[in-house]
């Protein structure tokens, strides 16, 4: 365990230097890791573990698109790919990577197969933290922990293949065997984490739900839409509005932020841009902070989790979701974005 100073606050983190892959392989050498669900996080985590020499199997409903995807990815029916219940029986560590709504639905079957000494692994604190709503209460004689990559399963896999790592959080909810710390750390390394920072289930899900609804997805789309609409209403063309709202941010400026931070990005822009950004950022902070406070309150009081459970459990949820996503896709801003992306040099047919 390393102690790192984060802006004046010291935190414990696990790095690959102190917990190399060889150590993770040794910890997991007698384990069968059953990845249940092959949707968002499942493929990346399962494939990374497989490539890292971990004994990993996948549990998925047969004759489903996800089953076919697992087969296409190299998992073999009857050897490393099984129906969910069989995978639950075979696994000593159950990676429960279904959607939150699906976790609630399948929980009775999972609980039945959690025999003493097994481990239940999550990549999200939702089911445990909101267990009064989800009904997910693990037996006392199993380990319960999480590794939550700070990105999509697609990003986790891409960065792994590039020889990089996506940072992840980890937490232990229940240590029944005395091995939970080694198990969770080994799995964090095996799934492709660059480093692991310590949290708990409650803090993980509160920050995660706030981030998804905030700067990671919800707020950024709202800010994009607001600026784009103001530019368009003042006579700017769709291409100009999109380039000044989205394209320059994602293609030019955010890579600079990722490389060395916001101050470094500011320092590599014109003095006019610097002056404007420094003058306006606090106004945006002050305008949006009350919204983020409302958002965090909604998360902490369980309103967001209940909303998610209620909507995602409806029989027609997928149809409604696709309609909402289609509305985004069909908007002028993102249609303009599609055209702009097609003009990038790397997307030109040479």
């Amino acid at each position: 365990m390393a102690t790192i100073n984060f802006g004046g606050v010291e935190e414990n983190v696990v790095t690959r230097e102190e917990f190399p892959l060889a150590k993770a392989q040794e910890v997991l050498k007698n384990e069968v890791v059953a990845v249940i669900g092959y949707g968002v996080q499942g493929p990346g985590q399962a494939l990374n573990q497989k490539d890292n020499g971990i004994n990993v199997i996948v549990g998925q409903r047969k004759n489903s698109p996800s089953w076919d995807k697992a087969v296409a990815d190299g998992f073999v029916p009857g050897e490393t790919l099984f129906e969910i219940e069989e995978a639950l029986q075979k696994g000593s560590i159950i990676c429960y990577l279904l959607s939150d709504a699906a976790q609630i639905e399948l929980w009775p079957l999972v609980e039945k197969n959690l025999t003493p000494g097994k481990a239940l692994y999550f990549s999200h604190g939702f089911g445990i933290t909101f267990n009064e709503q989800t009904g997910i209460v693990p037996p006392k004689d199993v380990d319960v922990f999480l590794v939550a990559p700070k990105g999509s399963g697609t990003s986790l896999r891409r960065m792994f293949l590039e020889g990089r790592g996506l940072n992840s959080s980890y937490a232990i909810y229940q240590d029944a065997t005395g091995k939970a710390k080694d198990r969770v750390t080994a799995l964090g390394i095996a799934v492709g984490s660059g480093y692991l920072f310590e949290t708990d289930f409650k803090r993980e899900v509160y920050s995660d739900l706030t981030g998804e609804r905030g700067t990671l997805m919800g707020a950024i789309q709202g800010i994009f839409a607001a600026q784009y609409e103001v530019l368009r209403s003042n006579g700017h063309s769709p291409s100009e509005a999109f380039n000044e709202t989205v394209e320059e941010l994602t293609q030019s400026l955010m890579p600079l932020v990722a490389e060395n931070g916001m101050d470094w990005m500011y320092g590599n822009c014109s003095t006019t841009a610097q002056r404007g950004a420094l003058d306006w950022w606090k106004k945006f902070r002050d305008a949006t902070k009350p919204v983020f406070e409302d958002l965090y309150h909604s998360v902490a009081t369980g309103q967001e989790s209940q909303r998610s459970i209620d909507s995602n459990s409806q029989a027609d949820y997928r149809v409604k979701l696709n309609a909402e996503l289609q509305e985004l896709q069909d908007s002028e801003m993102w249609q303009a974005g599609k055209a702009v992306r097609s003009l990038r040099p790397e997307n030109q047919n040479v």
Side-chain angles (χ1 to χ4, degrees):
M1 184 80 68
T3 301
I4 308 295
N5 188 309
F6 291 90
V9 178
E10 291 190 342
E11 297 184 37
N12 294 324
V13 299
V14 178
T15 68
R16 294 181 187 180
E17 183 177 355
E18 69 202 81
F19 208 107
L21 178 59
K23 185 174 180 179
Q25 293 168 333
E26 177 65 22
V27 170
L28 298 173
K29 67 180 180 181
N30 295 321
E31 304 274 14
V32 177
V33 181
V35 173
I36 307 302
Y38 207 74
V40 177
Q41 281 287 337
Q45 293 201 29
L47 288 168
N48 289 357
Q49 289 186 75
K50 179 184 175 186
D51 289 350
N52 275 332
I54 307 304
N55 185 9
V56 58
I57 63 175
V58 171
Q60 183 58 47
R61 290 185 177 89
K62 201 169 185 178
N63 299 321
S64 67
S66 295
W67 175 281
D68 295 339
K69 176 172 172 51
V71 172
D73 285 344
F75 290 97
V76 180
E79 295 181 15
T80 54
L81 176 61
F82 303 91
E83 291 270 15
I84 290 176
E85 184 162 19
E86 188 173 359
L88 288 169
Q89 292 167 353
K90 290 179 179 294
S92 59
I93 298 176
I94 308 302
C95 292
Y96 205 23
L97 300 182
L98 294 168
S99 69
D100 295 324
Q103 285 187 13
I104 297 170
E105 180 184 354
L106 197 68
W107 176 244
L109 181 62
V110 174
E111 184 179 22
K112 184 179 76 172
N113 287 282
L114 285 175
T115 51
K118 286 193 175 187
L120 180 62
Y121 164 111
F122 293 88
S123 281
H124 193 21
F126 191 101
I128 294 292
T129 301
F130 301 112
N131 57 25
E132 290 186 0
Q133 297 169 337
T134 65
I136 297 176
V137 180
K140 296 295 186 184
D141 52 9
V142 300
D143 293 342
V144 182
F145 44 69
L146 68 77
V147 172
K150 298 297 103 179
S152 70
T154 300
S155 298
L156 183 72
R157 182 61 177 166
R158 283 178 180 171
M159 292 176 75
F160 177 86
L161 293 174
E162 293 169 358
R164 303 161 63 200
L166 188 65
N167 61 306
S168 303
S169 60
Y170 78 95
I172 298 171
Y173 180 76
Q174 193 166 280
D175 185 2
T177 66
K179 301 185 298 181
K181 182 64 180 295
D182 281 346
R183 280 170 138 180
V184 70
T185 307
L187 283 161
I189 298 300
V191 302
S193 302
Y195 70 90
L196 297 156
F197 63 89
E198 194 173 15
T199 188
D200 60 41
F201 273 64
K202 183 177 177 179
R203 284 185 292 151
E204 189 284 328
V205 72
Y206 281 18
S207 61
D208 188 73
L209 293 182
T210 300
E212 290 168 348
R213 286 149 180 77
T215 60
L216 301 179
M217 295 173 68
I220 198 69
Q221 165 61 20
I223 291 170
F224 282 164
Q227 179 169 304
Y228 182 89
E229 290 168 12
V230 167
L231 290 173
R232 289 288 288 123
S233 68
N234 282 279
H236 298 271
S237 68
S239 63
E240 185 169 59
F242 186 85
N243 278 318
E244 292 297 338
T245 299
V246 180
E247 189 75 353
E248 185 173 352
L249 174 70
T250 59
Q251 297 302 296
S252 174
L253 301 183
M254 280 299 104
L256 297 181
V257 175
E259 188 175 344
N260 277 312
M262 187 68 76
D263 58 329
W264 196 78
M265 183 268 277
Y266 278 19
N268 282 272
C269 292
S270 71
T271 55
T272 302
Q274 291 174 22
R275 183 68 269 145
L278 290 169
D279 287 346
W280 278 88
W281 80 262
K282 291 179 182 178
K283 295 181 181 181
F284 282 105
R285 177 199 61 191
D286 295 345
T288 60
K289 190 174 180 181
V291 180
F292 281 99
E293 289 171 341
D294 287 346
L295 167 56
Y296 194 86
H297 179 264
S298 186
V299 169
T301 56
Q303 295 176 60
E304 290 301 307
S305 56
Q306 194 61 56
R307 158 85 171 146
S308 179
I309 291 168
D310 291 345
S311 61
N312 295 0
S313 299
Q314 294 175 7
D316 61 348
Y317 169 69
R318 184 60 60 179
V319 174
K320 291 179 178 177
L321 172 67
N322 288 337
E324 291 182 85
L325 293 174
Q326 191 67 44
E327 181 184 358
L328 271 182
Q329 184 183 88
D330 291 344
S331 68
E332 184 190 89
M333 180 172 70
W334 289 111
Q335 285 297 305
K338 184 177 180 180
V340 169
R341 288 191 296 274
S342 73
L343 295 173
R344 293 175 188 166
E346 67 267 26
N347 293 330
Q348 295 292 302
N349 294 321
V350 179

